Amino acid sequence: MNPLLLLGALAAAPQAVPAPPADSAPVGREAADAVTAAAEPPLILDARYKGDTLAVVRGGVQRGVRYLDNLDVTLAADLDRLAGVRNTRAFAYGLYNNGTSFSATLAGDAQVVSNIETGIRAARLYELWLEHGDDALSVRAGLYDVSTEFDVLESAAMFLHSAQGTGTDLSQSGNNGPSIFPFTSPGIRVQARVRGDAQAGLTLRAAVLDGTPGDPDHPQRTVIRLREQDGAFMIGEAEWRMNGVRLLAGAWRYTARFALQEDAATMRSGNGGVYLRGEVRLAGDDRRGVTGFVRTGVASGRFNVFDRFAGAGITVNGVLRDDGADALGLAVAHARTTPRLRPLTEGMTAGETAFELTYRTRVNAHLWVQPDLQYIADPAAMSASRNVWVAGVRLELRLRP
């Protein structure tokens, strides 16, 4: 995720760039939405623990096994029912990771095998915000993870690989990444439904946040520090839903200046990009059905190691169970290196490609088990790197079923 640096010879490129983030599932969005449901209490305390046991079985930097974990503790409050503050919600989110490294030490890939890898052992305040409004129009302000609402699809959230969360083109960007796991920025988000309803219609959202989440020199801390040189990170997205189809179109940009890839001493503005993302129900329903998804994105090659990203996948619910409490998924993610950078970095290839096959099933109301297999071609986009096979299993415990 954000604190992991691109590996091997990528580190010798003119500008070292943080590896893509290990996006967790949108826990914040789930908890915040739940508290507004009429059947839910006005105050909800929730906890979720994920543990990944991962092994490099072939290739990579070296063989080995690592255990990574992630603890989310959230508190969501409906201030309308609690204190009479109309149409207002509050949300707090604490995060802990053991800091074990897998991609950085064993697999040697750049896009990051596990979306809970941070490389930093820390307990931190992750989100803290207030939201006012309703489904038609709302404003959210505070410490905020943009990946809970921007560039996120439900069908892709089951995968362990980081690039199936926020795309690599976006997640690699910035001095400490955009405001996503595990570092967040203070900012403001506005969302409006301009047509239809939650099931079919058009929703627009935009956010402006501090351009450098946290403090890169002190990654264990939650730091809110607004400096002129950090600038702002801006992102906007249009979401359209209709008849089992969901489409996202987004654009993002930093106002700060960044070093050019081919000349680290030269600073320029214009670091930004665009992305398109979509999912469609191909057959069946939520309990037993097939869903496909695709994503493509572009980032400025003047500032970023990867200037193109493409991903796709398919998920099948109810593979072995009639209650829909299991799912099988197959996905691929390809990040293309910036052409202007390849002649400057010996051995750099056209990009890195990651394939993932995963199966997730519920054991009981609180426990989920997910065996996982991944294959990474051209890890870290370096010709000297050995293609790597990774096998592992994720256990997830939830306080609330």
Side-chain angles (χ1 to χ4, degrees), residues 10 22 41 51 56 70 77 79 95 103-104 135 148 169 215 226 240 259 265 296 313 316 330 346 353 370:
L10 281 181
V56 170
N70 180 98
L79 299 184
L95 177 68
S103 284
D135 288 343
T148 60
D169 50 303
D215 182 354
L226 303 178
W240 180 76
T296 185
V316 183
L330 177 65
E346 183 178 357
T353 306
Q370 185 171 352

Side-chain angles (χ1 to χ4, degrees), residues 94-344:
L95 177 68
Y96 169 79
N97 295 93
N98 67 4
T100 300
S101 293
F102 181 80
S103 284
T105 58
L106 297 184
D109 66 305
Q111 296 189 87
V112 188
V113 166
S114 170
N115 57 21
I116 62 172
E117 179 172 351
T118 65
I120 300 164
R121 183 176 183 177
R124 71 180 84 239
L125 177 65
Y126 184 60
E127 286 192 279
L128 183 65
W129 47 255
L130 288 173
E131 182 178 39
H132 179 76
D134 53 27
D135 288 343
L137 176 64
S138 67
V139 179
R140 181 177 295 183
L143 200 61
Y144 169 63
D145 174 2
V146 297
S147 71
T148 60
E149 297 183 303
F150 293 82
D151 194 15
V152 59
L153 293 177
E154 288 86 347
S155 56
M158 72 170 288
F159 293 92
L160 271 62
H161 195 274
S162 297
Q164 300 304 336
T166 302
T168 306
D169 50 303
L170 173 54
S171 68
Q172 68 171 338
S173 66
N175 288 324
N176 204 28
S179 182
I180 57 177
F181 180 92
F183 305 117
T184 49
S185 296
I188 185 168
R189 185 275 287 152
V190 178
Q191 178 172 284
R193 180 169 296 128
V194 297
R195 182 179 299 175
D197 54 30
Q199 302 304 316
L202 177 64
T203 299
L204 303 178
R205 58 181 65 94
V208 179
L209 303 101
D210 180 37
T212 301
D215 182 354
D217 296 327
H218 300 92
Q220 295 87 355
R221 307 174 186 173
T222 296
V223 176
I224 298 176
R225 183 180 60 180
L226 303 178
R227 303 183 305 175
E228 183 177 355
Q229 61 265 37
D230 292 338
F233 171 72
M234 302 177 293
I235 185 168
E237 183 178 271
E239 174 187 354
W240 180 76
R241 292 176 183 258
M242 180 66 71
N243 298 328
V245 177
R246 183 173 179 233
L247 298 176
L248 305 175
W252 53 273
R253 187 180 178 91
Y254 293 88
T255 63
R257 294 158 65 90
F258 291 84
L260 297 178
Q261 286 290 339
E262 63 268 30
D263 181 7
T266 302
M267 306 291 288
R268 292 285 187 271
S269 59
N271 191 1
V274 296
Y275 61 87
L276 294 172
R277 193 165 195 174
E279 64 184 356
V280 59
R281 176 64 53 76
L282 300 174
D285 53 29
D286 289 339
R287 294 172 65 87
R288 306 199 74 174
V290 181
T291 301
F293 63 88
V294 296
R295 187 195 184 282
T296 185
V298 176
S300 174
R302 294 190 300 160
F303 309 104
N304 300 288
V305 171
F306 298 109
D307 69 341
R308 299 287 188 276
F309 174 83
I314 189 168
T315 61
V316 183
N317 293 332
V319 179
L320 301 177
R321 304 177 55 161
D322 292 335
D323 60 359
D326 73 335
L328 179 70
L330 177 65
V332 59
H334 174 75
R336 190 191 79 163
T337 54
T338 301
R340 69 176 69 198
L341 186 58
R342 294 174 204 160
L344 305 177

Side-chain angles (χ1 to χ4, degrees), residues 27 46-53 67-73 96-98 116 360 366-368 394-400:
V27 177
D46 198 6
R48 183 178 304 184
Y49 178 83
K50 297 176 184 176
D52 289 352
T53 301
Y67 181 76
L68 295 72
D69 75 355
N70 180 98
L71 174 65
D72 301 304
V73 180
Y96 169 79
N97 295 93
N98 67 4
I116 62 172
R360 188 169 187 263
H366 301 280
L367 176 63
W368 295 76
R394 168 172 290 181
L395 299 179
E396 182 176 339
L397 288 168
R398 296 184 179 184
L399 177 66
R400 303 178 71 246

